[in-house]
Amino acid sequence: MVKFTDPESSYEELEKLVGDAEDGASLTSVVAGGAAAEAGLRTGDVVTRIGDRAITSADDLVAAIRSAVPGSSVTITYSRGGESATTTATLGTAEAS
């Protein structure tokens, strides 16, 4: 299972950490020490692309993370304060229960 924010989170929890924005998916919370925080993302950033995939809603972001290979690195394009930037995040994997 891919983790975007916190190694202990689930997809359902991921859905609670993002919201729709006019131009993408807004990060409503970023977990300290998680992949998003390690990539330099902050609460309020708006994700507009994951790799080559356009992100136009929170659902798009969750789907992009779900479809990525666990442990892979993804390029994230985001907007902060009206400025576009790019970063890379390494997606985590779930521990077997």
Side-chain angles (χ1 to χ4, degrees), residues 42-97:
R42 300 181 192 162
T43 298
D45 288 348
V46 176
V47 176
T48 57
R49 294 191 83 72
I50 299 286
D52 295 336
R53 187 174 183 165
I55 303 299
T56 60
S57 68
D59 288 342
D60 284 351
L61 178 58
V62 172
I65 298 303
R66 283 184 173 190
S67 68
V69 176
S72 68
S73 293
V74 295
T75 301
I76 301 167
T77 303
Y78 65 97
S79 176
R80 178 184 298 152
E83 298 291 322
S84 182
T86 303
T87 189
T88 302
T90 301
L91 304 176
T93 58
E95 297 293 323
S97 316

Side-chain angles (χ1 to χ4, degrees), residues 7-33:
E8 303 302 317
S9 69
S10 67
Y11 290 123
E12 292 76 24
E13 290 169 330
L14 172 59
E15 291 170 347
K16 295 176 188 175
L17 301 175
V18 296
D20 291 334
E22 185 173 322
D23 297 327
S26 177
L27 302 180
T28 58
S29 180
V30 174
V31 177

